[in-house]
Amino acid sequence: MLALTINCGSSSVKYSLFSQDENGELNMLARGLVSELGKENSAIKYVTDKNTITAALDRPGYREALEAAITTLVHPQFGKLKDIGEINVVGHRAVHGGDKFTGSVLIDDEVIGKMEQCIDLAPIHNPANLEGIRQARSLLPHTPQVAVFDTAFHQSIPMHARVYALPYEYYEQYGIRKFGFHGTSCNYASQQVCHLAGRALAESRIIICHLGNGVSVTAVDRGQSVDTSLGYTSVGGVMMGTRCGDLDPGVLLAIMKEFNLSVKEADNLLHHQSGLLGVSGVSNDMQTITQLALEGNPRCRLAVEMFAYYLTKYIGAYAAVMGGIDMLVFTGGIGENSAWVRSLAVNKLEFLGIKIDAQRNLADLAEDAIISPDDSPVLVAVIKANEEKMIARESVTILEALRVPAGFSGVAC
Ligand code: ADP
């Protein structure tokens, strides 16, 4: 079984090829990235266990990017396939499924129509995802294709956590509600931490801190997302690289009034000028800010401390929501690499049973790892984000569900 995953963003296309072994485990054979779509300096980078190849591309669109990806996969010297028809299923990352999708689905024209209706909810991401799907269907017309939605994992969030305390019509008639993001990453991280710890998902209360450029904290109660820090849009919750996170809504009104800001300007302020960048005044990049904070820059230090403080509050709140916590996961670029943020985030949470082993936390973590001491009531782990593997897993599951059982004649008796 071979699965290709495709993640079409607004300016890049990522792809990965997985093969399923006899135990059902998916192993990555190759991955690639086409960057700077549509630009003169666009390039493709293709990586296998043995080789890394790069090549320049001239202003590729999604179709040209996918054609280039296919060329690498069937390359006579570096490719992992003889023919592209060997791929059994293609899994696409789909950012926003709105209320229309509660899980991954086999793509057909009806699914595409419903995805088009969700464009307003993710105007940058969904059109890119859709274009990737259209081009991939045309390039691989005989291969089943599956859409894996980031929002689907959070469809289990109960009403009391999903509805905002606005007049109810806004929920009922206009669909203003918590959707959540990073669902595919949370789904993967919660499965992976259980695998690492040898525990059952169905018996575990897990908090996932997905800390990348976008940030979310999610409460996963026995396999179900029950609350998450991102909501209707991806600007709330924990402060992020350039996004403000939770804010007294009155602050926005006051700033708009005082500075006579248009909606577009206010949008730009909250999404692109706030968060780590806004507080530090120098960068949206946690690695840079950490370095400057250690060199004595007070606003960078404040930005790191605020970031960790948001995390502490969300972890505490979600432990309360689930009536306790069994496992805490850090994932994403900051979660995987910043021992300082991890330790700052949990250093007041020992009362919840959350402890970190200093040496384990500071070790160079090349693989998924447990960083709590062996006697810690709560297991704390660092899990490498791997949305691609989750997309491949979901796609294979959908494909297998479609398979006609052996001995089935297709004739009702
Ligand atoms: P994205 O959400 O775009 O996928 P990533 O998951 O790659 O982003 O995370 C990017 C963030 O991770 C950046 O803020 C970056 O500075 C941070 N990061 C990466 N390595 C480190 C490190 N060693 N220490 C602190 N932050 C790091």
Side-chain angles (χ1 to χ4, degrees):
M1 170 77 82
L2 290 166
L4 176 69
T5 66
I6 296 178
N7 179 353
C8 286
S10 54
S11 63
S12 68
V13 173
K14 290 182 194 154
Y15 61 100
S16 304
L17 181 68
F18 289 88
S19 115
Q20 193 178 38
D21 65 23
E22 58 278 8
N23 302 318
E25 186 59 31
L26 286 157
N27 302 302
M28 192 188 280
L29 300 180
R31 66 188 157 84
L33 166 72
V34 178
S35 54
E36 304 291 349
L37 279 189
K39 298 201 177 141
E40 277 174 19
N41 60 340
S42 176
I44 184 164
K45 183 175 177 187
Y46 171 76
V47 181
T48 67
D49 49 350
K50 295 197 184 77
N51 302 97
T52 298
I53 304 161
T54 52
L57 297 175
D58 185 19
R59 285 167 287 202
Y62 289 98
R63 186 176 187 88
E64 293 77 26
L66 289 174
E67 282 171 344
I70 290 172
T71 306
T72 58
L73 293 169
V74 297
H75 189 280
Q77 198 178 347
F78 310 113
K80 293 287 178 183
L81 305 171
K82 287 207 168 56
D83 187 284
I84 202 67
E86 289 168 40
I87 293 172
N88 301 91
V89 63
V90 178
H92 292 268
R93 178 181 185 216
V95 167
H96 215 308
D99 273 327
K100 300 190 189 306
F101 299 100
T102 53
S104 306
V105 287
L106 186 72
I107 296 171
D108 58 17
D109 292 343
E110 194 186 333
V111 166
I112 290 186
K114 284 189 186 169
M115 287 179 71
E116 281 168 348
Q117 291 167 26
C118 299
I119 283 178
D120 282 350
L121 293 166
I124 295 172
H125 294 101
N126 273 19
N129 301 158
L130 273 163
E131 193 50 24
I133 288 171
R134 286 196 193 94
Q135 296 302 340
R137 284 180 94 200
S138 129
L139 289 164
L140 296 159
H142 306 298
T143 311
Q145 316 230 354
V146 170
V148 179
F149 295 92
D150 275 4
T151 45
F153 185 65
H154 299 301
Q155 286 286 43
S156 50
I157 292 177
M159 283 292 276
H160 56 258
R162 122 185 350 199
V163 177
Y164 292 113
L166 294 167
Y168 195 68
E169 306 82 80
Y170 285 89
Y171 169 67
E172 211 171 27
Q173 290 174 28
Y174 309 112
I176 307 283
R177 49 160 285 199
K178 176 170 284 194
F179 283 112
F181 296 84
H182 299 146
T184 306
S185 170
C186 291
N187 197 359
Y188 174 77
S190 46
Q191 290 186 15
Q192 188 63 12
V193 72
C194 288
H195 179 70
L196 184 73
R199 298 191 189 176
L201 185 61
E203 290 165 12
S204 302
R205 294 161 300 180
I206 308 171
I207 295 178
I208 313 283
C209 300
H210 176 109
L211 316 180
N213 283 310
V215 170
S216 64
V217 180
T218 298
V220 182
D221 194 354
R222 299 164 182 93
Q224 304 264 295
S225 170
V226 291
D227 206 348
T228 188
S229 60
L230 291 174
Y232 180 69
T233 70
S234 57
V235 75
V238 178
M239 67 189 279
M240 299 169 234
T242 59
R243 291 172 249 169
C244 60
D246 288 343
L247 193 69
D248 165 5
V251 168
L252 176 61
L253 300 178
I255 290 177
M256 287 182 78
K257 206 166 140 195
E258 182 67 25
F259 299 99
N260 202 18
L261 294 190
S262 66
V263 172
K264 199 172 169 199
E265 287 165 330
D267 184 282
N268 186 43
L269 174 74
L270 301 188
H271 280 90
H272 303 296
Q273 297 172 21
S274 300
L276 295 173
L277 174 66
V279 175
S280 72
V282 285
S283 177
N284 64 333
D285 183 85
M286 181 58 93
Q287 198 167 4
T288 308
I289 289 187
T290 303
Q291 188 56 40
L292 292 171
L294 294 172
E295 287 168 13
N297 182 314
R299 273 175 53 188
C300 288
R301 175 167 276 274
L302 176 64
V304 177
E305 286 172 353
M306 283 173 64
F307 186 87
Y309 182 65
Y310 271 97
L311 292 177
T312 308
K313 284 202 291 187
Y314 267 103
I315 295 166
Y318 287 168
V321 159
M322 295 190 289
I325 167 172
D326 303 304
M327 291 186 267
L328 174 66
V329 176
F330 290 97
T331 188
I334 302 171
E336 292 163 29
N337 295 298
S338 178
W340 192 25
V341 167
R342 292 193 297 258
S343 88
L344 274 182
V346 304
N347 75 2
K348 292 228 171 69
L349 298 180
E350 201 167 332
F351 79 100
L352 286 173
I354 299 173
K355 286 194 269 179
I356 277 185
D357 179 282
Q359 257 182 329
R360 288 180 182 179
N361 188 38
L362 284 169
D364 195 10
L365 303 174
E367 303 286 336
D368 296 340
I370 295 168
I371 56 166
S372 45
D374 293 339
D375 65 348
S376 175
V378 173
L379 184 137
V380 185
V382 173
I383 300 288
K384 304 276 167 194
N386 197 342
E387 281 151 317
E388 289 75 20
K389 193 165 185 176
M390 196 68 228
I391 292 170
R393 202 178 276 168
E394 289 281 298
S395 305
V396 167
T397 304
I398 294 274
L399 188 67
E400 281 171 348
L402 289 172
R403 286 210 167 137
V404 179
F408 179 72
S409 65
V411 180
C413 309

